[in-house]
Amino acid sequence: MPYIWIAIIVASFASGYGVSSALSSIEIKEMSDSISAINREAELQLATLTEQANKAHEEALKLNKDLEDANVSAINALNSQRDSFKSVRMYDNGRKSSSCPTTKSDSTQTTTGTNEDRYELSEEFAGFLKSEAYRADQIAEYAKICQKFVVNNCGVTK
C-alpha cells in the first residue's frame, strides 16, 4: 500500500508540473506576442519621429541660410554706403557757428551762420567717427534681421 501512495503522489506532482508547464508556455507566448506588437508600434513611431526631425533639421538649415543671406546682403549694402561716404570730409562747426538760422537779441531778424568758423576734423578723428558709425549701422541692421527672424520663425510677436 505504501507503494500506491507513493505512486499517487508522484503522479499528482507530474500532472501538476505538466499542467503548470503548459500554462506557463501559453503565458510566455502571449507575453512574447505582446512584446512583438509593442516593438512594431515603437518602430513605427520612431520612423515617424525621425522623419519629422529630418524635416525640421532641413527647415532649420534653410532658415539659417536665409538669415546668412540677409546678413550678407545688409553688410554689402552698408559697405557700399560706407565706400561712398569715405571721401566725404567732416567738419567741426563748433558751438557758436552753424548753418542754422539764429535770432539776434536786439532784432527779430534771423541770420545764418557762416562757414568761416568751421574746422576740418583730423583724418584720425574722422576715420574713428566713420568706423563707429559703420559698426553701429552693422549692429542695427543685424538686430533688425534677428528680430525679423524671431518674429517669422519662432512664433514670437512684436
Side-chain angles (χ1 to χ4, degrees), residues 90-105:
M90 297 182 75
Y91 294 93
D92 178 13
N93 291 329
R95 294 180 77 160
K96 295 181 183 178
S97 174
S98 70
S99 299
C100 299
T102 58
T103 305
K104 290 187 176 183
S105 60

Side-chain angles (χ1 to χ4, degrees), residues 1-14:
M1 191 103 149
Y3 294 116
I4 294 176
W5 286 109
I6 292 176
I8 292 173
I9 291 174
V10 169
S12 67
F13 278 122

Side-chain angles (χ1 to χ4, degrees), residues 11-85:
S12 67
F13 278 122
S15 66
Y17 177 75
V19 169
S20 71
S21 174
L23 290 176
S24 293
S25 68
I26 291 171
E27 288 177 1
I28 291 172
K29 174 96 170 101
E30 288 175 356
M31 290 167 61
S32 175
D33 292 343
S34 174
I35 290 172
S36 295
I38 290 171
N39 284 343
R40 281 191 301 274
E41 289 177 21
E43 287 173 357
L44 288 173
Q45 188 175 13
L46 177 64
T48 302
L49 292 175
T50 302
E51 184 180 332
Q52 290 174 351
N54 287 338
K55 286 180 183 178
H57 180 70
E58 289 172 11
E59 181 67 20
L61 289 176
K62 181 187 173 297
L63 292 174
N64 191 29
K65 177 75 170 118
D66 292 345
L67 181 63
E68 287 178 8
D69 290 345
N71 189 33
V72 166
S73 175
I75 295 300
N76 287 340
L78 287 174
N79 285 340
S80 174
Q81 183 181 18
R82 179 184 185 193
D83 291 342
S84 68
F85 190 64

